[in-house]
Amino acid sequence: MDKNTEFENEVAKNIAGLSADAEFKKQSLEWCVAAARHRYTYNFRFLGRPIIQVPQDIMAMQELIWQVKPDLIIETGIAHGGSLIMNASMLALLDMCDAIEAGQTLDPGVSQRKVLGIDIDIRAHNRAAIETHPMSSRIRMIQGSSIAPEIINLVEKTASDYQRVFVCLDSNHTHDHVLAELEAYAPLTSIGSYCVVFDTIVEDLPENMFIDRPWGKGNNPRTAVWEYLRRLNSANYIASDGAPLKLEIDKSIENKLLITVSPDGFLRRI
Ligand SMILES: C[S@@+](CC[C@H](N)C(=O)[O-])C[C@H]1O[C@@H](n2cnc3c(N)ncnc32)[C@H](O)[C@@H]1O
C-alpha cells in the first residue's frame, strides 16, 4: 500500500472512531451550546470581512470546494460578506491552480468562476466593502428574498451558464423558508457537488436560545432538510440538468468536524 493511501486509511479510522465516541459527541455539542451563548461565530474574519461561521465549517468548505472545483457557488445570506469573500478566494485559488497546471499566465482579475450571493438586505457599508475588496471581480450580488420567484428565476438563469454548481443556504433559518430554498436551489447542484445547509444545529440547541427569532426546535433548517429528503425519496424530482435529483447527507464531514453548525446539512448530490 502506498504511503498516501496508508495515511488516508488512518484518517478514515480516526473519523470512524470519532463517530462512535458518544461522549465526545456530547461534549462537542455542549461546546457548541456554550459557544452560541457567547455569539462565538461572530468573532472571525476572512480576508478582512466578518464571516459568521465556526472555523471548523470554514475548513470543511475549503475541502469541499477543492474536491468539487465548482465554477459557480450560489450562496443565500451575505451579511457582512465574509463567506462570499471566502468562497471567492477559493475560486481564485482554483483559477491559479488551473493556470499553473496548464502552464498559462494568470490574469488575477479575470475569472469565469463566480460566487452569486443573495440577501434580502445588503447593507450599504457591507456592499461597499465587498465591492471594493480585491476578490470583488469574482462576486455578483442580488438583493431580494431568496425565495421570491423573480430572484429564483434570476439565479436559475445565471446557473444555466455554468457547468459545476455548488449551493450554500444560510439566510432565514425557519423551516418553511429553508424548505422553499431547497426546492428552488438544490436542483441546481451539480452531480458530485454539494448543497450545504447551515444552522441545522438549531434543532439541537436549547429552546430558550432563540426567543427573539422565529426559528427554534421543530422549526429550523434541519427539519427542512429532513422534509426535503423525504420529498425527494417519495417522488421523482428532476434536477436542472435533466437528470434525477438524488441527495444524501454526507455524514463523514460532520463526523470529522464534531464542531459544526451543519449536522445533517452537508448534502451531496449523487
Ligand atoms: C447568518 S447571516 C449570513 C452569514 C454569512 N453567510 C456568513 O457566513 O458570514 C443571514 C443573512 O440572511 C439574510 N436574510 C434573511 N432573510 C432572507 C431572505 N428571505 N432572503 C435572503 N436573505 C435573507 C439576512 O439579511 C442576513 O444577512
Side-chain angles (χ1 to χ4, degrees):
M1 186 188 298
D2 73 68
K3 290 289 172 197
N4 289 325
T5 313
E6 206 176 291
F7 182 73
E8 285 305 319
N9 289 346
E10 267 175 44
V11 173
K13 239 167 92 184
N14 291 346
I15 295 172
L18 285 169
S19 82
D21 189 337
E23 182 57 24
F24 192 21
K25 279 184 164 173
K26 183 170 154 280
Q27 289 166 341
S28 300
L29 180 58
E30 282 165 4
W31 186 94
C32 289
V33 172
R37 291 198 196 286
H38 287 280
R39 292 168 59 83
Y40 179 87
T41 52
Y42 289 80
N43 293 349
F44 305 97
R45 287 171 175 258
F46 205 95
L47 301 187
R49 290 308 299 156
I51 180 167
I52 309 172
Q53 303 285 340
V54 289
Q56 277 82 351
D57 285 330
I58 296 173
M59 181 56 84
M61 285 296 297
Q62 177 275 136
E63 290 192 11
L64 291 179
I65 293 170
W66 177 254
Q67 182 185 315
V68 172
K69 301 193 170 43
D71 55 2
L72 179 68
I73 300 177
I74 297 167
E75 196 181 332
T76 67
I78 295 174
H80 302 265
S83 56
L84 273 189
I85 300 292
M86 195 271 286
N87 288 329
S89 70
M90 280 304 303
L91 297 185
L93 288 174
L94 292 180
D95 285 342
M96 193 178 91
C97 293
D98 282 353
I100 290 169
E101 276 171 16
Q104 289 167 348
T105 311
L106 178 74
D107 180 343
V110 177
S111 172
Q112 293 310 311
R113 289 189 164 102
K114 292 281 180 291
V115 183
L116 179 62
I118 303 117
D119 199 294
I120 199 165
D121 180 16
I122 308 174
R123 306 267 165 94
H125 63 288
N126 289 328
R127 179 185 284 280
I130 295 164
E131 287 179 348
T132 54
H133 194 280
M135 285 297 139
S136 66
S137 64
R138 291 178 166 79
I139 295 172
R140 297 283 173 274
M141 289 182 280
I142 304 176
Q143 178 160 288
S145 174
S146 54
I147 59 169
E150 66 278 14
I151 302 290
I152 295 171
N153 284 342
L154 211 53
V155 176
E156 284 172 343
K157 196 164 171 296
T158 305
S160 67
D161 292 335
Y162 291 84
Q163 307 302 317
R164 204 177 288 244
V165 179
F166 194 113
V167 175
C168 302
L169 305 179
D170 190 20
S171 67
N172 176 323
H173 299 318
T174 61
H175 175 95
D176 288 348
H177 186 86
V178 179
L179 189 55
E181 284 192 329
L182 282 163
E183 290 282 359
Y185 301 120
L188 303 179
T189 310
S190 302
I191 290 176
S193 182
Y194 283 76
C195 173
V196 179
V197 183
F198 287 94
D199 274 333
T200 48
I201 195 173
V202 170
E203 181 66 10
D204 299 323
L205 299 179
E207 292 277 14
N208 63 6
M209 291 193 74
F210 303 101
I211 43 176
D212 58 341
R213 300 287 197 174
W215 50 84
K217 235 184 232 313
N219 172 15
N220 58 65
R222 180 118 59 125
T223 58
V225 165
W226 290 338
E227 170 60 16
Y228 187 64
L229 293 183
R230 197 194 56 71
R231 288 183 185 180
L232 283 191
N233 288 332
S234 58
N236 291 326
Y237 273 57
I238 300 297
S240 61
D241 58 11
L245 178 61
K246 299 273 176 234
L247 294 172
E248 66 177 14
I249 295 172
D250 186 346
K251 279 278 183 189
S252 72
I253 300 171
E254 68 191 73
N255 285 343
K256 78 168 144 190
L257 296 175
L258 287 196
I259 288 172
T260 174
V261 300
S262 301
D264 290 355
F266 292 95
L267 306 179
R268 183 176 52 207
R269 177 153 176 228
I270 52 176

